[in-house]
Amino acid sequence: MSTLVARNLMQSFDQITDYWSPKIIGEVNDQYLKIAKVKGELVWHAHDEEDELFHIVKGSLIIEFEDHTVELSEGKFLTIPKGVMHNPIAKEECWVLLIESKSTKHTGNVVTEKTKTLSQQL
């Protein structure tokens, strides 16, 4: 077995230089742990086959849904079920920990200039 090394979540955010550009920092079973700094609006999208967990490490995030809006502040988390259309918005810089299946595409089947491939997230 290789040596297990503890990591500092807050220091891991130092590797993030662009908004909406998640980076994979670990994995648990078939899930990736990703971190991202976000600001502004991403895009309306859904993940047809995967749930997605947003945990707010710093700042706040608004997630728009078709029929309501949820505001997440530091320390809060929300799991978005597969197939649910959503649009994340951060008025100010926000740090997010995401837990997603390894098959989850960044912006679902929607592709924009902000969309990152899996290889770009590694």
Side-chain angles (χ1 to χ4, degrees):
M1 176 164 52
S2 63
T3 304
L4 299 176
V5 178
R7 296 186 61 191
N8 184 301
L9 178 62
M10 300 304 279
Q11 289 176 352
S12 295
F13 279 94
D14 291 343
Q15 68 179 300
I16 305 296
T17 57
D18 297 320
Y19 294 129
W20 302 110
S21 186
K23 297 296 179 199
I24 297 167
I25 61 166
E27 56 185 278
V28 177
N29 299 317
D30 292 329
Q31 306 286 311
Y32 278 135
L33 303 175
K34 300 178 181 180
I35 57 172
K37 289 180 182 175
V38 300
K39 186 175 179 182
E41 186 171 341
L42 185 56
V43 64
W44 279 97
H45 67 284
H47 305 283
D48 294 336
E49 301 300 324
E50 303 94 1
D51 298 334
E52 180 177 36
L53 183 137
F54 286 79
H55 177 263
I56 307 307
V57 176
K58 182 177 175 184
S60 63
L61 184 70
I62 297 167
I63 302 181
E64 294 180 327
F65 296 98
E66 294 177 303
D67 60 351
H68 71 288
T69 299
V70 173
E71 185 165 349
L72 300 171
S73 56
E74 197 168 302
K76 291 194 175 182
F77 70 92
L78 177 70
T79 301
I80 300 175
K82 64 182 173 185
V84 173
M85 289 292 292
H86 59 285
N87 182 32
I89 302 169
K91 293 179 181 177
E92 301 295 329
E93 183 175 278
C94 177
W95 295 7
V96 181
L97 170 67
L98 301 158
I99 301 175
E100 303 175 331
S101 297
K102 290 181 178 179
S103 60
T104 304
K105 294 180 182 176
H106 182 216
T107 53
N109 291 327
V110 176
V111 177
T112 73
E113 69 281 351
K114 292 181 183 176
T115 301
K116 302 300 179 203
T117 64
L118 187 57
S119 64
Q120 290 173 308
Q121 297 177 53
L122 290 170

